Amino acid sequence: MISRRRFLRDHTLAAAGANLLPSFGVSLRGLRPPDYLSFDLHTHPGVAFNRGREAYPGDGGILATVGAMNAGRLSGAFFSLVADAPFLEITSTGVKVSGRYGPGQAWTEYQQQLKSMKDLIGTVPATLATRPADLDRAQRTGKVAAFLACEGGEFLEGDPGRLEVMRADGIRSLQLVHYVPNILADLQTAPAQHH
């Protein structure tokens, strides 16, 4: 079994080396998976987190995005849920936030987004992933490894025990705060509430 430290070391060194090779006159042209790994730390394929809302453009978006990921030979990516999605509006001047969750609403939203994301991943050429071995397997099959992530800690609703539930659900990355301040953290672009 490969340790997380060894996985990160080996793959980070490989990525750094791949970036340095052109400066030494070495070309990556002609290399094909599994010769190298690539990983996108932040994706919202087809804005799947908005499924069921008016802002959702339809299931074709995730199919097109995952198709492009595979065509570009992306090995893996974090497919992100967005905890504060119901309260975000994209405007010409940036993101506008309106509203907050009531008791229990954030967890209900989490379960809905998680189910939608897993359902959608099952319909596209991607592999739902939770372990480093899943990334290697996806690399061999030419299907992007979809690791699940969550932007914003609202889904926890102050209950650290939910971290274990989310891990069991397949979440592998949790960003403490997104656009809506919560009990876990302040926003760097807004006045501090928790210091």
Side-chain angles (χ1 to χ4, degrees):
M1 178 177 199
I2 189 169
S3 72
R4 183 179 328 174
R5 179 173 285 153
R6 182 173 164 215
F7 171 81
L8 290 172
R9 181 201 67 210
D10 292 351
H11 291 87
T12 301
L13 289 174
N19 287 327
L20 291 174
L21 287 177
S23 64
F24 293 107
V26 177
S27 172
L28 294 178
R29 202 173 312 221
L31 289 180
R32 297 182 54 84
D35 297 331
Y36 62 90
L37 291 171
S38 57
F39 196 92
D40 191 328
L41 295 169
H42 180 231
T43 70
H44 298 289
V47 292
F49 62 87
N50 268 331
R51 194 176 196 208
R53 282 190 268 281
E54 191 176 311
Y56 186 62
D59 293 351
I62 192 170
L63 182 60
T65 304
V66 170
M69 289 174 167
N70 288 327
R73 299 184 190 144
L74 185 64
S75 306
F78 280 128
F79 285 42
S80 295
L81 311 181
V82 179
D84 51 9
F87 309 113
L88 303 181
E89 178 188 348
I90 307 299
T91 71
S92 61
T93 58
V95 177
K96 179 181 171 187
V97 176
S98 61
R100 303 242 187 210
Y101 287 114
Q105 292 176 331
W107 190 246
T108 299
E109 176 69 17
Y110 164 75
Q111 292 170 322
Q112 184 273 322
Q113 283 191 36
L114 179 69
K115 180 180 181 331
S116 288
M117 185 67 79
K118 285 184 173 182
D119 288 348
L120 287 167
I121 289 170
T123 67
V124 298
T127 302
L128 187 59
T130 58
R131 304 170 301 138
D134 296 332
L135 182 61
D136 293 331
R137 184 187 47 169
Q139 182 74 7
R140 286 190 307 275
T141 63
K143 290 180 174 181
V144 66
F147 288 85
L148 298 178
C150 180
E151 295 180 351
E154 288 89 334
F155 293 155
L156 297 174
E157 294 184 331
D159 181 357
R162 287 196 174 153
L163 285 170
E164 289 301 320
V165 175
M166 292 174 80
R167 178 160 175 74
D169 288 340
I171 302 294
R172 291 299 178 263
S173 175
L174 176 63
Q175 179 179 321
L176 297 180
V177 66
H178 192 229
Y179 283 101
V180 175
N182 62 52
I183 63 172
L184 296 175
D186 289 320
L187 294 174
Q188 66 182 8
T189 56
Q193 296 179 26
H194 306 293
H195 305 286

